Amino acid sequence: MGGYAAYVWSSYGVSAGVLGLCVATTYIRLAWLKRQLRRRETELDDPK
Amino acid sequence: MYRWFHQLGSPPYFYRLARRLEPRLAIAALLLIAWGVYGGLVKAPPDYQQGEAFRIIYVHVPSAWLSLFVYTAMAVAGAVALVWRMKLAEVFVTAAAPLGAAFTFLALVTGSIWGKPMWGTWWVWDARLTSELILLFLYLGVIALNAAIEDRRSAARACALLALVGVINVPIVHYSVEWWNTLHQGPTITRFDRPAMAPEMLWPLLWCALGFNFLFFWLQLPRMRYELLQREARSRWVARELGSE
């Protein structure tokens, strides 16, 4: 890609990084919320 | 059709449908983007003027299109939320804003990376670049507004209003290259009467753009599911769904 390789690869790298971060945060947040809700359900069902 | 639309407004129905659709959307998005990127990086010949640097368009143009599409979709959903008070439309607006901001950020950053070798500068206060930057600020405004108001329904309605007011910027971004004398090039792809790109360069771009659309919907669905779970945490259907997963 000649002298432009660094520009091309950095734009693809930034895009993959940002979109990958979007995917990861989306599913981590969802999994965390589900865990919290499940824990609360268990506590409500089985109060100490 | 009307019945289906009505059914779609029901949070438990939507939650189940979204969960089923997500893997299919993910596969479609990844395959289309992979195919488009392969075509753009490997198959397409270098541009006669820009050389290899033109290959940045395969991430820049889809990101820029999505930045406009997501905001327009948010404005439409915002109007539905304000007029019909549909819960899912409210959820759509608040869930889409961070994704739209990500696409806008990518459009600006990849455009800047392309600008350095082509224009000799990372940034110019050109009408297209400035209006796109304002779009990013509008997205950030929606995100901040959503975070600042504690009551979820009030927050969503405020965000819907901002999305609706801010949509005026979308045609400004789109037509900025025609209305003003800009350094940014004029429309290339939307001129179907006089195609300005060779088909072997154009097709990978269209695959990438379609892939980015699928990517948006793939990520939008779990984000909407998150908002729904948060809002309806005390509903019986949430306990049922969590138990069945």
Side-chain angles (χ1 to χ4, degrees):
Chain A
M1 290 207 192
Y4 295 136
Y7 293 106
V8 176
W9 290 119
S10 54
S11 63
Y12 278 78
V14 171
S15 304
V18 170
L19 295 176
L21 200 65
C22 284
V23 175
T25 51
T26 297
Y27 281 101
I28 290 169
R29 278 170 80 228
L30 187 62
W32 179 82
L33 180 64
K34 279 183 192 171
R35 208 175 131 212
Q36 294 288 104
L37 292 175
R38 279 203 192 98
R39 190 180 290 170
R40 209 180 64 188
E41 279 292 314
T42 323
E43 279 170 8
L44 284 175
D45 288 346
D46 186 21
K48 286 184 182 162
Chain B
M1 179 72 187
Y2 180 76
R3 200 168 150 252
W4 179 78
F5 190 70
H6 197 72
Q7 219 174 12
L8 198 64
S10 144
Y13 177 82
F14 175 83
Y15 188 92
R16 279 192 293 273
L17 182 70
R19 221 177 53 193
R20 276 206 308 273
L21 284 177
E22 272 163 41
R24 291 164 210 197
L25 289 170
I27 292 168
L30 294 175
L31 285 178
L32 283 166
I33 293 173
W35 184 239
V37 167
Y38 170 73
L41 287 181
V42 181
K43 304 275 274 183
D47 183 71
Y48 81 105
Q49 275 182 323
Q50 300 178 20
E52 304 288 352
F54 101 95
R55 299 185 197 279
I56 295 174
I57 65 161
Y58 297 104
V59 283
H60 171 68
V61 174
S63 303
W65 281 351
L66 260 290
S67 71
L68 298 179
F69 170 76
V70 173
Y71 203 91
T72 310
M74 276 168 58
V76 172
V80 172
L82 290 172
V83 175
W84 289 288
R85 299 186 175 236
M86 195 177 165
K87 216 179 276 179
L88 271 181
E90 292 174 4
V91 166
F92 184 96
V93 176
T94 53
L99 292 176
F103 286 121
T104 312
F105 174 78
L106 278 184
L108 287 168
V109 170
T110 53
S112 186
I113 294 173
W114 178 85
K116 183 62 183 162
M118 292 300 122
W119 297 342
T121 178
W122 297 103
W123 183 265
V124 279
W125 291 101
D126 157 293
R128 170 58 69 85
L129 276 71
T130 309
S131 54
E132 185 76 11
L133 183 65
I134 292 170
L135 186 66
L136 178 64
F137 292 150
L138 282 168
Y139 276 121
L140 296 180
V142 173
I143 295 168
L145 198 58
N146 185 38
I149 303 172
E150 207 165 318
D151 178 60
R152 299 319 303 147
R153 288 215 84 168
S154 308
R157 290 174 65 77
C159 291
L161 197 63
L162 180 56
L164 211 51
V165 173
V167 79
I168 187 72
N169 190 45
V170 170
I172 295 177
V173 176
H174 183 72
Y175 291 108
S176 57
V177 289
E178 291 177 21
W179 291 344
W180 293 287
N181 198 6
T182 58
L183 191 55
H184 191 284
Q185 69 188 71
T188 312
I189 295 121
T190 47
R191 292 188 322 180
F192 284 112
D193 52 332
R194 276 182 300 150
M197 271 180 95
E200 59 269 33
M201 291 174 169
L202 182 63
W203 278 109
L205 180 60
L206 297 178
W207 293 128
C208 275
L210 195 63
F212 269 55
N213 267 285
F214 276 104
L215 178 79
F216 164 67
F217 285 109
W218 161 31
L219 292 183
Q220 175 69 352
L221 293 182
R223 295 187 66 84
M224 287 177 74
R225 287 203 290 136
Y226 177 90
E227 291 274 334
L228 280 177
L229 284 181
Q230 228 182 9
R231 278 171 171 232
E232 312 245 323
R234 288 170 210 286
S235 307
R236 213 172 289 166
W237 73 265
V238 169
R240 222 174 23 239
E241 286 300 325
L242 289 177
S244 71
E245 275 182 33

